[in-house]
Amino acid sequence: MGLPEDFNAYRSKMNEKIMASDSLIIKRIFNLDTNAYQEGSLDLRTKEMIGLTCSLVLRCDDCVKYHLGKCKEVGFTTEEVNEAMGVATLIGGTIVIPHLRRAFEYWESLQNV
Amino acid sequence: MGLPEDFNAYRSKMNEKIMASDSLIIKRIFNLDTNAYQEGSLDLRTKEMIGLTCSLVLRCDDCVKYHLGKCKEVGFTTEEVNEAMGVATLIGGTIVIPHLRRAFEYWESLQNV
Amino acid sequence: MGLPEDFNAYRSKMNEKIMASDSLIIKRIFNLDTNAYQEGSLDLRTKEMIGLTCSLVLRCDDCVKYHLGKCKEVGFTTEEVNEAMGVATLIGGTIVIPHLRRAFEYWESLQNV
Amino acid sequence: MGLPEDFNAYRSKMNEKIMASDSLIIKRIFNLDTNAYQEGSLDLRTKEMIGLTCSLVLRCDDCVKYHLGKCKEVGFTTEEVNEAMGVATLIGGTIVIPHLRRAFEYWESLQNV
Amino acid sequence: MGLPEDFNAYRSKMNEKIMASDSLIIKRIFNLDTNAYQEGSLDLRTKEMIGLTCSLVLRCDDCVKYHLGKCKEVGFTTEEVNEAMGVATLIGGTIVIPHLRRAFEYWESLQNV
Amino acid sequence: MGLPEDFNAYRSKMNEKIMASDSLIIKRIFNLDTNAYQEGSLDLRTKEMIGLTCSLVLRCDDCVKYHLGKCKEVGFTTEEVNEAMGVATLIGGTIVIPHLRRAFEYWESLQNV
């Protein structure tokens, strides 16, 4: 299943174009974004949980996909991810459910990468 | 036109996977979601109007599609649906208009099912 | 309890100032807003349910207060209003709950006007 | 690259259907929408900047595309558009970034029309 | 400083009224809300981080206050809370900053309880 | 009328506390926020229009107040500000109107500073 590969390829291609645009504000946001998810007072796992659940309540499919990929990398189990997404769906309401469907599909496809 | 069939098939497939995941919070939200739209102090028609317009102001295409399908089932006319969507667009602003376009397209395709 | 009186007084005072400003776009929005809640294909009661629940999922306290006042005028019972707000809280999530608290307080104070 | 043509064709087709539906509220919103972006106290360029950045912080891809097309018509440079989108991304947060990717792709495709 | 006491008193008073209203949907949401933050696949601390940051990106002051209180109970340090709120502000954008100000004020007042 | 003085005093006091907290992510966001509104490819006036209207569609009263203060500093007339807020209200919908009331009140009080 090609979901993660297609997502990552498009994301990388466009990020390169954005960075090549020499837009100072955008570059600094991207830079800060990279640093913010490094280990600090909070560990990597906690930060990815924050990234995943905030993305879900704000209903951004691409952000959810990105953080699901990172959640897999840092070793979260399906049970942990599902529980976090359950809390986020409760906070954000049933309007989140269509994004939850796509998140489940993406998480499943990540297992086959 | 295949819009409603495709939408319903994907929705059913993913809902089954979500329910099979044994995530307790999510299961309870789904359960509550089913019950909330049953006849109570408010009748079915009023509840579907609430579901449709709240989905539109929150700009969730899939939620709008789902409630348009239910609105057709409970017998709303095109005039009633359009007026409800007009009020929702006024409340939610012109940022809702792209979702209104897709809602009109979906409602039209529902007539041919 | 003075909640509804204070709310209505401030709302009326500022609406007059806004209308006196001769801002054409704003005037037309206000005008359209007044017309949209008149009886049309949908009756007054359905329109107020739409106004109340959309205001709640968008988490606008003042809009909720305004529509609670109208819901009382058109004769909705406490049971009906609570059920509508329950559906809206389900759609919008637990993030809506603080607004639900203030809505309950305001509805209570409306009974004493 | 066909992005702008496809976008404009779908947008025009559906706008015609919506206008043909005789929904009074919607018609008046569309009418007001057309007038609001005409020259007034503010010039066309300022209004398109408002349209573009508000669309981006509200994360509506279609609205962003529409205003990018208008921004090109009124003569904004790539540097100006990128800076405006940078400010909007700062206001709206990193959750805006996936929309920024699609905005960059669309702006690029607009140069080839 | 009385902030936490006033907040908790109003919250408790209104929650009791809401629960006394016998609105079935609302009761079930409240019930689910209580259960969702119990230890499960994820521990209490991770769940409170999710609650705090989702509340901040959704810009709900009361929800932020509630979860700040719980974050203190489960032993988060000021450094950890500030880092989590920093990530949330990055995700949600500078529009979150006014809520961050009130969060800092509330966290400070929690130290004096 | 004390609105602008109170607003500015609280804002300054809390910003100082936030900057004193040594939270690296937050500091960099604040820093970037200051730089983003400097003259660049776009002039100060255009940037303040962006700040004002984005704040209004995102319905952040404090952000609206801050940018109204800056709009006065860079010389916008009441007619220009009202037209910009009209466009923002159209984009964001009638749910913006309560914020528009407070914006009108604040702009009026700014004239007496």
Side-chain angles (χ1 to χ4, degrees), chain B residues 59 86 101-102 105 108, chain D residues 10 14-15 17 58 62:
Chain B
R59 300 194 280 127
R101 284 188 200 110
R102 292 188 281 273
E105 184 181 39
E108 190 178 69
Chain D
Y10 178 76
M14 292 314 302
N15 278 5
K17 290 199 181 189
L58 290 172
D62 280 11

Side-chain angles (χ1 to χ4, degrees), chain A residues 5-72:
Chain A
E5 291 85 350
D6 289 351
F7 171 71
N8 288 326
Y10 178 76
R11 186 178 172 277
S12 297
K13 182 185 75 175
M14 292 314 302
N15 278 5
E16 277 170 36
K17 292 199 181 192
I18 290 173
M19 292 305 274
S21 76
D22 277 322
S23 169
L24 192 59
I25 303 171
I26 296 175
K27 273 190 172 175
R28 289 183 62 189
I29 297 172
F30 271 60
N31 209 298
L32 183 45
D33 194 33
T34 303
N35 292 340
Y37 291 93
Q38 305 302 311
E39 182 123 1
S41 301
L42 301 170
D43 60 21
L44 286 184
R45 284 170 57 90
T46 305
K47 286 191 165 177
E48 285 308 324
M49 275 288 110
I50 292 173
L52 174 64
T53 53
C54 287
S55 298
L56 202 55
V57 296
L58 290 172
R59 301 194 279 128
C60 173
D61 286 331
D62 280 11
C63 310
V64 168
K65 284 178 183 172
Y66 173 75
H67 286 291
L68 283 174
K70 301 298 280 185
C71 281
K72 183 150 180 290

